[in-house]
Amino acid sequence: RGVLGTAGILGGPRGLLGHGGLLGGGGLLGVLGEDGLLSTVQGLTGLRIVGLTLPRVSLRLLPGVGVHLNLYTRVALDAKCLLGLLDIAVEVNVTARVRLTMDSTGYPKLVAEGCDTLLGGIKVRLLRGLLPVVDNLLASVLNGLLPNLLCPVVNIALGLVNDQLGLVNSLVPLGVLGSIQYTVSSLPLVTSQFLEVDLNAVVRQAAGGLVDIPLGTPETVPMPPRVPMPPLPPMADTSNSQLGLSVSFLSSALSVLQKEGALDLNIPTGVFPELPPLTTSTLGALVPAVFKAYPESHELLVKIAVPKAPVVTLKKNKGAIQLRATAEVMVIHSNDVQKSLCLLNIDAFLLAQFSVKDNKLKIRVSLEKTGLSLVSSSIGDFDVSLLKVLVGQIFDVAFLPAVNSVLGAGVPLPRLLNIDFTNADIDVIEVRARVFPVVPP
Protein backbone atom coordinates (compact mmCIF):
# COMPACT_ATOMS: atom_id res chain seq x y z
CA ARG A 1 0.00 0.00 0.00
CA GLY A 2 3.02 2.24 -0.35
CA VAL A 3 3.67 4.78 -3.03
CA LEU A 4 4.81 2.02 -5.39
CA GLY A 5 2.43 -0.61 -4.08
CA THR A 6 -0.61 -2.11 -5.66
CA ALA A 7 -2.74 0.71 -4.32
CA GLY A 8 -0.12 3.43 -4.73
CA ILE A 9 0.57 6.05 -7.38
CA LEU A 10 1.88 3.50 -9.92
CA GLY A 11 -0.17 0.53 -8.84
CA GLY A 12 -3.78 -0.26 -8.30
CA PRO A 13 -6.71 0.24 -10.55
CA ARG A 14 -6.40 4.05 -10.47
CA GLY A 15 -2.61 4.30 -10.44
CA LEU A 16 -0.44 5.61 -13.27
CA LEU A 17 0.03 2.11 -14.68
CA GLY A 18 -3.33 0.82 -13.57
CA HIS A 19 -6.17 -0.13 -15.85
CA GLY A 20 -7.83 3.24 -15.50
CA GLY A 21 -4.63 5.30 -15.15
CA LEU A 22 -2.99 7.70 -17.56
CA LEU A 23 -0.77 5.04 -19.14
CA GLY A 24 -2.93 2.05 -18.35
CA GLY A 25 -5.43 0.08 -20.34
CA GLY A 26 -7.88 2.93 -20.47
CA GLY A 27 -5.18 5.58 -20.94
CA LEU A 28 -2.62 6.32 -23.63
CA LEU A 29 -1.54 2.70 -24.03
CA GLY A 30 -5.16 1.82 -24.45
CA VAL A 31 -5.50 4.41 -27.17
CA LEU A 32 -2.49 2.83 -28.93
CA GLY A 33 -3.59 -0.71 -28.12
CA GLU A 34 -5.47 -3.47 -29.86
CA ASP A 35 -8.63 -1.46 -30.41
CA GLY A 36 -6.94 1.92 -30.31
CA LEU A 37 -4.93 4.21 -32.53
CA LEU A 38 -2.65 1.62 -34.13
CA SER A 39 -5.55 -0.38 -35.44
CA THR A 40 -7.28 2.88 -36.38
CA VAL A 41 -4.35 3.93 -38.59
CA GLN A 42 -4.42 0.56 -40.28
CA GLY A 43 -8.11 1.09 -40.93
CA LEU A 44 -7.94 4.53 -42.55
CA THR A 45 -11.05 5.23 -44.60
CA GLY A 46 -11.97 7.88 -47.12
CA LEU A 47 -8.34 8.59 -48.06
CA ARG A 48 -8.32 11.19 -50.82
CA ILE A 49 -5.95 13.69 -52.41
CA VAL A 50 -7.02 17.28 -51.69
CA GLY A 51 -3.93 19.11 -52.93
CA LEU A 52 -1.03 18.51 -55.30
CA THR A 53 1.88 20.89 -55.90
CA LEU A 54 3.10 21.39 -59.46
CA PRO A 55 5.21 18.28 -60.08
CA ARG A 56 8.87 18.38 -61.06
CA VAL A 57 9.25 15.93 -63.92
CA SER A 58 12.53 14.53 -65.22
CA LEU A 59 12.96 12.11 -68.10
CA ARG A 60 15.78 9.82 -69.11
CA LEU A 61 15.78 8.02 -72.44
CA LEU A 62 16.04 4.24 -72.28
CA PRO A 63 17.62 2.93 -75.52
CA GLY A 64 15.32 0.56 -77.36
CA VAL A 65 12.58 0.96 -74.75
CA GLY A 66 11.30 4.47 -74.18
CA VAL A 67 11.80 6.69 -71.16
CA HIS A 68 12.37 6.49 -67.43
CA LEU A 69 10.05 9.00 -65.78
CA ASN A 70 10.57 10.55 -62.36
CA LEU A 71 7.91 12.77 -60.82
CA TYR A 72 8.38 14.62 -57.51
CA THR A 73 5.50 16.38 -55.81
CA ARG A 74 3.99 17.23 -52.42
CA VAL A 75 0.61 15.71 -51.74
CA ALA A 76 -2.02 16.85 -49.25
CA LEU A 77 -4.49 14.17 -48.20
CA ASP A 78 -7.25 13.74 -45.72
CA ALA A 79 -8.72 10.57 -44.26
CA LYS A 80 -11.10 9.46 -41.56
CA CYS A 81 -10.30 7.40 -38.51
CA LEU A 82 -11.85 6.80 -35.08
CA LEU A 83 -10.18 9.94 -33.77
CA GLY A 84 -11.69 12.10 -36.49
CA LEU A 85 -10.33 13.67 -39.67
CA LEU A 86 -6.61 13.36 -40.37
CA ASP A 87 -4.73 16.02 -42.37
CA ILE A 88 -1.68 14.44 -44.00
CA ALA A 89 1.13 16.07 -46.00
CA VAL A 90 3.70 13.86 -47.69
CA GLU A 91 6.52 14.21 -50.22
CA VAL A 92 6.28 11.67 -53.02
CA ASN A 93 8.67 10.46 -55.71
CA VAL A 94 6.89 8.52 -58.44
CA THR A 95 9.04 6.56 -60.90
CA ALA A 96 7.80 4.69 -63.94
CA ARG A 97 9.31 2.77 -66.84
CA VAL A 98 7.50 3.85 -70.00
CA ARG A 99 7.70 1.92 -73.28
CA LEU A 100 7.21 3.58 -76.66
CA THR A 101 5.02 1.38 -78.86
CA MET A 102 2.84 1.55 -81.97
CA ASP A 103 -0.84 0.74 -81.64
CA SER A 104 -2.85 -1.23 -84.18
CA THR A 105 -3.82 1.94 -86.08
CA GLY A 106 -0.20 3.04 -86.58
CA TYR A 107 -0.09 5.73 -83.90
CA PRO A 108 2.90 5.98 -81.54
CA LYS A 109 1.90 5.39 -77.93
CA LEU A 110 3.57 5.54 -74.51
CA VAL A 111 2.65 2.71 -72.12
CA ALA A 112 3.69 2.54 -68.45
CA GLU A 113 5.17 -0.87 -67.65
CA GLY A 114 5.64 -0.28 -63.92
CA CYS A 115 5.09 2.40 -61.31
CA ASP A 116 6.72 2.84 -57.89
CA THR A 117 6.27 5.45 -55.17
CA LEU A 118 8.73 6.54 -52.50
CA LEU A 119 7.38 8.56 -49.56
CA GLY A 120 9.20 11.03 -47.35
CA GLY A 121 8.60 13.95 -45.02
CA ILE A 122 5.23 12.72 -43.71
CA LYS A 123 3.43 15.31 -41.59
CA VAL A 124 0.19 14.49 -39.79
CA ARG A 125 -1.54 17.25 -37.90
CA LEU A 126 -3.41 15.00 -35.47
CA LEU A 127 -0.87 12.24 -34.85
CA ARG A 128 2.51 13.96 -35.14
CA GLY A 129 4.55 13.69 -31.94
CA LEU A 130 2.59 10.98 -30.17
CA LEU A 131 4.99 8.12 -30.78
CA PRO A 132 7.45 7.36 -33.62
CA VAL A 133 5.76 4.03 -34.13
CA VAL A 134 2.63 5.88 -35.27
CA ASP A 135 4.54 7.72 -38.01
CA ASN A 136 6.19 4.51 -39.15
CA LEU A 137 2.90 2.70 -39.19
CA LEU A 138 1.23 5.53 -41.09
CA ALA A 139 4.06 5.48 -43.65
CA SER A 140 3.52 1.76 -44.10
CA VAL A 141 -0.21 2.27 -44.60
CA LEU A 142 0.32 5.12 -47.09
CA ASN A 143 2.88 3.08 -49.01
CA GLY A 144 0.16 0.53 -49.53
CA LEU A 145 -2.50 3.05 -50.51
CA LEU A 146 -0.82 5.91 -52.40
CA PRO A 147 0.36 3.93 -55.45
CA ASN A 148 -3.29 3.23 -56.22
CA LEU A 149 -3.96 6.96 -56.08
CA LEU A 150 -0.83 8.40 -57.73
CA CYS A 151 0.10 5.85 -60.40
CA PRO A 152 -3.13 6.62 -62.30
CA VAL A 153 -1.85 10.22 -62.42
CA VAL A 154 1.09 8.93 -64.48
CA ASN A 155 -1.32 7.20 -66.86
CA ILE A 156 -3.33 10.41 -67.18
CA ALA A 157 -0.15 12.36 -67.99
CA LEU A 158 0.87 9.74 -70.56
CA GLY A 159 -2.60 9.95 -72.06
CA LEU A 160 -2.13 13.69 -72.63
CA VAL A 161 1.26 13.04 -74.27
CA ASN A 162 -0.27 10.28 -76.40
CA ASP A 163 -2.92 12.75 -77.58
CA GLN A 164 -0.09 14.98 -78.82
CA LEU A 165 1.73 12.04 -80.42
CA GLY A 166 -1.47 11.16 -82.23
CA LEU A 167 -1.45 14.56 -83.93
CA VAL A 168 1.66 13.51 -85.88
CA ASN A 169 -0.59 11.39 -88.10
CA SER A 170 -2.46 14.31 -89.61
CA LEU A 171 -3.90 15.69 -92.83
CA VAL A 172 -2.95 19.34 -93.30
CA PRO A 173 -4.01 21.64 -96.15
CA LEU A 174 -1.48 22.85 -98.69
CA GLY A 175 -3.32 26.10 -99.27
CA VAL A 176 -6.43 25.49 -101.38
CA LEU A 177 -4.52 23.44 -103.95
CA GLY A 178 -3.92 20.20 -102.09
CA SER A 179 -3.02 18.56 -98.81
CA ILE A 180 -0.22 16.68 -97.07
CA GLN A 181 -0.84 13.46 -95.16
CA TYR A 182 1.80 12.86 -92.48
CA THR A 183 2.00 9.36 -90.99
CA VAL A 184 4.54 7.63 -88.77
CA SER A 185 6.26 5.05 -90.97
CA SER A 186 7.75 2.77 -88.30
CA LEU A 187 8.37 2.38 -84.58
CA PRO A 188 10.39 5.44 -83.48
CA LEU A 189 14.03 4.85 -82.63
CA VAL A 190 15.04 5.55 -79.03
CA THR A 191 18.70 6.04 -78.14
CA SER A 192 20.33 7.38 -74.99
CA GLN A 193 20.52 10.84 -76.59
CA PHE A 194 17.52 11.33 -78.86
CA LEU A 195 14.18 10.07 -80.11
CA GLU A 196 13.93 9.71 -83.90
CA VAL A 197 10.58 9.59 -85.68
CA ASP A 198 10.42 8.77 -89.41
CA LEU A 199 7.39 10.12 -91.24
CA ASN A 200 5.79 9.41 -94.58
CA ALA A 201 4.57 12.55 -96.33
CA VAL A 202 1.91 11.92 -98.97
CA VAL A 203 1.13 15.00 -101.06
CA ARG A 204 -2.29 15.10 -102.70
CA GLN A 205 -3.84 17.40 -105.26
CA ALA A 206 -7.14 19.07 -104.47
CA ALA A 207 -8.79 16.67 -106.94
CA GLY A 208 -7.47 13.71 -104.97
CA GLY A 209 -4.54 12.54 -107.10
CA LEU A 210 -1.35 11.51 -105.32
CA VAL A 211 1.88 13.31 -106.04
CA ASP A 212 3.83 10.95 -103.80
CA ILE A 213 3.31 7.27 -103.07
CA PRO A 214 2.74 6.24 -99.43
CA LEU A 215 4.86 3.44 -98.03
CA GLY A 216 3.41 0.02 -98.78
CA THR A 217 0.99 1.11 -101.54
CA PRO A 218 1.43 -0.83 -104.81
CA GLU A 219 2.85 1.33 -107.55
CA THR A 220 0.53 1.71 -110.53
CA VAL A 221 3.05 3.50 -112.75
CA PRO A 222 6.82 3.06 -113.15
CA MET A 223 8.52 5.09 -110.45
CA PRO A 224 12.11 6.37 -110.48
CA PRO A 225 14.18 5.44 -107.44
CA ARG A 226 13.76 7.71 -104.46
CA VAL A 227 16.54 9.92 -103.28
CA PRO A 228 17.72 8.53 -99.92
CA MET A 229 17.57 10.83 -96.92
CA PRO A 230 21.16 11.80 -96.03
CA PRO A 231 22.34 11.71 -92.40
CA LEU A 232 21.34 14.79 -90.45
CA PRO A 233 24.12 17.06 -89.17
CA PRO A 234 24.91 16.97 -85.43
CA MET A 235 22.36 18.85 -83.36
CA ALA A 236 23.60 22.03 -81.73
CA ASP A 237 23.87 22.10 -77.94
CA THR A 238 21.32 24.93 -77.89
CA SER A 239 18.72 22.87 -79.79
CA ASN A 240 16.30 20.27 -78.51
CA SER A 241 14.73 19.19 -81.80
CA GLN A 242 15.67 18.72 -85.43
CA LEU A 243 13.53 18.17 -88.54
CA GLY A 244 14.84 16.77 -91.82
CA LEU A 245 12.90 17.29 -95.06
CA SER A 246 13.84 15.20 -98.08
CA VAL A 247 14.38 16.77 -101.48
CA SER A 248 11.72 14.40 -102.85
CA PHE A 249 9.19 15.89 -100.43
CA LEU A 250 10.05 19.43 -101.55
CA SER A 251 9.71 18.40 -105.20
CA SER A 252 6.33 16.78 -104.50
CA ALA A 253 5.04 19.94 -102.81
CA LEU A 254 6.15 22.07 -105.79
CA SER A 255 4.62 19.52 -108.14
CA VAL A 256 1.19 20.12 -106.59
CA LEU A 257 1.52 23.83 -107.32
CA GLN A 258 2.54 23.09 -110.90
CA LYS A 259 -0.24 20.55 -111.52
CA GLU A 260 -2.88 22.96 -110.22
CA GLY A 261 -1.59 25.75 -112.48
CA ALA A 262 -0.56 27.96 -109.56
CA LEU A 263 2.73 28.78 -111.31
CA ASP A 264 1.07 29.88 -114.57
CA LEU A 265 0.64 33.59 -115.29
CA ASN A 266 -0.93 35.75 -118.00
CA ILE A 267 0.72 39.16 -118.46
CA PRO A 268 -1.24 41.76 -120.46
CA THR A 269 0.22 45.12 -121.38
CA GLY A 270 -0.09 47.99 -118.91
CA VAL A 271 -0.49 45.87 -115.75
CA PHE A 272 3.16 46.20 -114.71
CA PRO A 273 4.35 49.82 -115.14
CA GLU A 274 7.97 48.74 -114.65
CA LEU A 275 7.85 46.82 -117.94
CA PRO A 276 8.07 48.43 -121.36
CA PRO A 277 4.73 48.43 -123.23
CA LEU A 278 3.95 44.91 -124.38
CA THR A 279 3.13 45.74 -127.99
CA THR A 280 4.23 44.61 -131.43
CA SER A 281 6.07 47.94 -131.76
CA THR A 282 8.21 47.17 -128.70
CA LEU A 283 8.86 43.65 -129.94
CA GLY A 284 9.47 44.88 -133.50
CA ALA A 285 12.25 47.15 -132.26
CA LEU A 286 14.03 43.98 -131.07
CA VAL A 287 13.00 41.55 -133.82
CA PRO A 288 12.63 43.17 -137.28
CA ALA A 289 10.43 40.30 -138.51
CA VAL A 290 7.76 41.33 -136.00
CA PHE A 291 7.69 44.93 -137.28
CA LYS A 292 7.47 43.64 -140.84
CA ALA A 293 4.49 41.42 -139.99
CA TYR A 294 2.76 44.09 -137.87
CA PRO A 295 3.59 47.59 -139.10
CA GLU A 296 0.69 48.92 -137.00
CA SER A 297 1.05 48.50 -133.26
CA HIS A 298 -1.02 45.82 -131.52
CA GLU A 299 -1.15 44.96 -127.84
CA LEU A 300 0.38 41.69 -126.74
CA LEU A 301 -0.56 39.11 -124.13
CA VAL A 302 2.25 36.95 -122.73
CA LYS A 303 1.08 33.58 -121.40
CA ILE A 304 3.62 31.87 -119.15
CA ALA A 305 2.94 28.24 -118.24
CA VAL A 306 4.93 25.60 -116.38
CA PRO A 307 4.06 22.28 -118.08
CA LYS A 308 6.40 20.08 -116.00
CA ALA A 309 7.12 19.83 -112.30
CA PRO A 310 10.14 21.85 -111.13
CA VAL A 311 13.29 19.96 -110.15
CA VAL A 312 14.85 20.76 -106.79
CA THR A 313 18.58 20.47 -106.26
CA LEU A 314 20.19 20.93 -102.87
CA LYS A 315 23.86 21.72 -102.51
CA LYS A 316 25.76 22.65 -99.39
CA ASN A 317 24.18 25.85 -98.03
CA LYS A 318 22.40 26.39 -101.34
CA GLY A 319 19.03 25.44 -102.77
CA ALA A 320 18.25 25.58 -106.48
CA ILE A 321 15.09 25.02 -108.52
CA GLN A 322 15.20 24.26 -112.23
CA LEU A 323 11.97 25.31 -113.87
CA ARG A 324 11.05 24.85 -117.52
CA ALA A 325 8.38 27.29 -118.62
CA THR A 326 6.78 28.18 -121.93
CA ALA A 327 5.99 31.74 -122.95
CA GLU A 328 3.44 32.17 -125.71
CA VAL A 329 3.21 35.68 -127.16
CA MET A 330 -0.32 36.44 -128.37
CA VAL A 331 -1.25 39.37 -130.63
CA ILE A 332 -4.56 41.03 -129.71
CA HIS A 333 -6.55 41.84 -132.84
CA SER A 334 -9.87 43.62 -133.15
CA ASN A 335 -12.78 42.12 -131.21
CA ASP A 336 -10.17 40.73 -128.76
CA VAL A 337 -9.22 37.95 -131.13
CA GLN A 338 -5.89 36.43 -130.08
CA LYS A 339 -3.38 34.97 -132.53
CA SER A 340 -0.11 33.31 -131.58
CA LEU A 341 3.01 35.17 -132.58
CA CYS A 342 5.58 32.77 -131.17
CA LEU A 343 6.10 30.11 -128.52
CA LEU A 344 9.30 30.05 -126.46
CA ASN A 345 10.84 27.50 -124.13
CA ILE A 346 12.44 29.11 -121.07
CA ASP A 347 14.82 27.11 -118.90
CA ALA A 348 15.00 29.12 -115.69
CA PHE A 349 17.52 28.41 -112.96
CA LEU A 350 16.32 29.82 -109.65
CA LEU A 351 18.12 30.22 -106.34
CA ALA A 352 15.98 29.19 -103.37
CA GLN A 353 16.09 30.56 -99.84
CA PHE A 354 14.31 28.70 -97.04
CA SER A 355 12.83 29.97 -93.79
CA VAL A 356 10.23 28.82 -91.26
CA LYS A 357 7.38 30.99 -90.04
CA ASP A 358 4.12 29.95 -88.37
CA ASN A 359 5.49 26.38 -88.49
CA LYS A 360 5.47 26.46 -92.30
CA LEU A 361 8.43 26.13 -94.63
CA LYS A 362 8.66 29.30 -96.70
CA ILE A 363 10.53 29.33 -100.01
CA ARG A 364 11.67 32.45 -101.83
CA VAL A 365 13.32 32.29 -105.25
CA SER A 366 15.45 34.66 -107.30
CA LEU A 367 16.59 34.35 -110.90
CA GLU A 368 20.11 33.08 -111.49
CA LYS A 369 19.98 32.64 -115.28
CA THR A 370 17.68 31.72 -118.16
CA GLY A 371 18.04 29.86 -121.42
CA LEU A 372 15.70 30.53 -124.39
CA SER A 373 14.75 28.43 -127.39
CA LEU A 374 12.16 28.95 -130.12
CA VAL A 375 9.45 26.30 -130.38
CA SER A 376 7.24 27.82 -133.07
CA SER A 377 6.62 31.16 -134.77
CA SER A 378 4.03 32.62 -137.15
CA ILE A 379 6.66 35.00 -138.59
CA GLY A 380 9.36 32.44 -139.33
CA ASP A 381 12.60 31.71 -137.52
CA PHE A 382 14.42 34.54 -135.76
CA ASP A 383 17.28 34.98 -133.33
CA VAL A 384 15.59 34.31 -129.98
CA SER A 385 18.54 35.74 -128.05
CA LEU A 386 17.25 39.18 -129.08
CA LEU A 387 14.44 38.69 -126.54
CA LYS A 388 16.66 37.62 -123.63
CA VAL A 389 16.72 41.04 -121.93
CA LEU A 390 12.95 41.48 -122.25
CA VAL A 391 12.27 37.96 -120.95
CA GLY A 392 14.57 38.65 -117.99
CA GLN A 393 12.60 41.81 -117.21
CA ILE A 394 9.30 39.93 -117.41
CA PHE A 395 10.63 37.30 -115.01
CA ASP A 396 11.99 39.83 -112.50
CA VAL A 397 9.00 42.18 -112.52
CA ALA A 398 6.02 39.87 -113.03
CA PHE A 399 6.64 36.13 -112.99
CA LEU A 400 8.96 35.68 -109.98
CA PRO A 401 6.90 37.93 -107.65
CA ALA A 402 3.85 35.83 -108.56
CA VAL A 403 5.76 32.60 -107.88
CA ASN A 404 7.07 33.94 -104.56
CA SER A 405 3.55 34.91 -103.58
CA VAL A 406 2.46 31.30 -104.10
CA LEU A 407 5.51 29.81 -102.36
CA GLY A 408 5.15 32.35 -99.55
CA ALA A 409 1.98 30.59 -98.39
CA GLY A 410 4.36 27.94 -97.07
CA VAL A 411 4.45 24.17 -96.77
CA PRO A 412 2.93 23.10 -93.42
CA LEU A 413 5.33 21.09 -91.26
CA PRO A 414 4.27 18.10 -89.16
CA ARG A 415 2.95 18.63 -85.65
CA LEU A 416 5.14 16.77 -83.18
CA LEU A 417 4.55 17.30 -79.45
CA ASN A 418 3.69 20.98 -80.05
CA ILE A 419 7.20 21.71 -81.33
CA ASP A 420 7.19 24.98 -83.27
CA PHE A 421 10.04 25.23 -85.78
CA THR A 422 9.45 28.94 -86.44
CA ASN A 423 12.74 30.83 -86.97
CA ALA A 424 14.66 27.56 -86.91
CA ASP A 425 18.24 27.41 -88.16
CA ILE A 426 18.25 25.76 -91.59
CA ASP A 427 21.06 23.57 -92.92
CA VAL A 428 20.98 22.65 -96.62
CA ILE A 429 22.59 19.26 -97.26
CA GLU A 430 23.74 18.35 -100.76
CA VAL A 431 21.44 15.87 -102.49
CA ARG A 432 19.64 15.83 -105.83
CA ALA A 433 15.90 15.47 -106.33
CA ARG A 434 13.86 13.24 -108.57
CA VAL A 435 10.34 14.23 -109.53
CA PHE A 436 7.47 11.79 -109.08
CA PRO A 437 4.64 11.59 -111.62
CA VAL A 438 1.10 12.16 -110.47
CA VAL A 439 -0.94 9.01 -109.94
CA PRO A 440 -4.50 9.31 -111.31
CA PRO A 441 -7.15 9.24 -108.58
Side-chain angles (χ1 to χ4, degrees):
R1 295 191 180 276
V3 174
L4 301 179
T6 56
I9 297 176
L10 297 181
R14 299 295 179 184
L16 187 61
L17 297 178
H19 179 73
L22 179 61
L23 298 179
L28 182 57
L29 294 181
V31 173
L32 297 176
E34 180 179 352
D35 296 320
L37 189 56
L38 297 184
S39 60
T40 298
V41 170
Q42 290 176 315
L44 287 177
T45 60
L47 184 65
R48 61 175 184 166
I49 297 176
V50 294
L52 194 68
T53 62
L54 185 65
R56 292 202 308 262
V57 180
S58 60
L59 299 174
R60 177 168 54 87
L61 293 175
L62 299 177
V65 177
V67 296
H68 179 273
L69 180 147
N70 185 78
L71 183 150
Y72 168 81
T73 185
R74 290 187 178 91
V75 183
L77 310 102
D78 62 24
K80 295 178 181 178
C81 69
L82 293 180
L83 297 179
L85 188 66
L86 299 180
D87 290 327
I88 306 168
V90 59
E91 296 179 3
V92 182
N93 263 310
V94 181
T95 59
R97 176 185 168 100
V98 180
R99 182 173 292 276
L100 181 59
T101 64
M102 294 274 285
D103 65 17
S104 58
T105 60
Y107 286 84
K109 186 177 182 180
L110 293 170
V111 179
E113 292 188 330
C115 177
D116 297 305
T117 59
L118 179 64
L119 307 184
I122 298 176
K123 296 180 180 179
V124 185
R125 189 166 65 183
L126 182 60
L127 301 181
R128 169 61 69 180
L130 289 180
L131 280 177
V133 68
V134 175
D135 292 338
N136 294 336
L137 181 58
L138 182 60
S140 176
V141 172
L142 292 178
N143 272 317
L145 295 176
L146 281 183
N148 294 329
L149 291 175
L150 294 177
C151 285
V153 174
V154 174
N155 291 327
I156 293 173
L158 293 180
L160 296 175
V161 177
N162 285 332
D163 289 342
Q164 293 297 321
L165 286 175
L167 296 177
V168 178
N169 287 3
S170 58
L171 182 68
V172 292
L174 185 59
V176 297
L177 303 176
S179 61
I180 301 176
Q181 175 77 57
Y182 289 111
T183 55
V184 178
S185 62
S186 59
L187 181 66
L189 172 67
V190 182
T191 73
S192 61
Q193 296 179 320
F194 59 84
L195 171 66
E196 181 177 298
V197 182
D198 290 333
L199 301 178
N200 283 333
V202 181
V203 185
R204 296 178 180 270
Q205 293 178 249
L210 297 181
V211 180
D212 203 353
I213 300 297
L215 189 66
T217 301
E219 297 175 356
T220 57
V221 294
M223 299 292 290
R226 292 180 179 272
V227 178
M229 187 75 178
L232 295 178
M235 192 183 305
D237 293 337
T238 56
S239 300
N240 57 17
S241 59
Q242 190 176 46
L243 176 66
L245 299 176
S246 72
V247 72
S248 299
F249 169 70
L250 297 176
S251 293
S252 296
L254 292 180
S255 183
V256 166
L257 303 179
Q258 177 267 324
K259 293 296 179 184
E260 293 293 330
L263 304 180
D264 299 343
L265 181 67
N266 290 343
I267 307 172
T269 188
V271 174
F272 298 94
E274 302 90 339
L275 291 176
L278 296 179
T279 64
T280 54
S281 297
T282 301
L283 212 59
L286 301 173
V287 181
V290 175
F291 182 77
K292 183 178 180 180
Y294 295 95
E296 294 184 5
S297 184
H298 291 72
E299 291 186 354
L300 300 176
L301 173 66
V302 179
K303 295 182 175 181
I304 299 180
V306 181
K308 294 183 179 180
V311 176
V312 179
T313 302
L314 298 181
K315 299 181 180 180
K316 185 173 178 59
N317 299 324
K318 179 182 178 181
I321 298 175
Q322 183 179 353
L323 180 147
R324 168 161 285 193
T326 62
E328 187 170 17
V329 182
M330 310 295 294
V331 180
I332 309 298
H333 292 266
S334 57
N335 298 323
D336 291 330
V337 175
Q338 301 178 12
K339 292 185 178 180
S340 178
L341 179 65
C342 62
L343 179 65
L344 306 176
N345 271 341
I346 305 174
D347 289 317
F349 296 86
L350 310 177
L351 297 178
Q353 292 181 321
F354 303 98
S355 62
V356 180
K357 185 178 181 181
D358 299 328
N359 211 42
K360 294 181 179 180
L361 180 69
K362 309 282 186 173
I363 306 174
R364 183 174 181 82
V365 296
S366 58
L367 184 63
E368 183 180 29
K369 62 180 180 179
T370 58
L372 302 180
S373 61
L374 182 63
V375 179
S376 63
S377 169
S378 63
I379 58 174
D381 290 340
F382 61 88
D383 185 2
V384 74
S385 65
L386 298 173
L387 299 178
K388 189 170 184 178
V389 173
L390 179 60
V391 170
Q393 288 178 309
I394 291 174
F395 260 63
D396 285 336
V397 172
F399 181 68
L400 289 185
V403 170
N404 281 326
S405 177
V406 173
L407 298 179
V411 178
L413 300 178
R415 299 174 62 184
L416 182 60
L417 296 177
N418 279 335
I419 297 174
D420 189 348
F421 292 98
T422 296
N423 298 324
D425 294 329
I426 296 178
D427 290 319
V428 180
I429 305 171
E430 183 165 355
V431 65
R432 190 171 182 81
R434 297 182 186 273
V435 180
F436 296 91
V438 174
V439 179

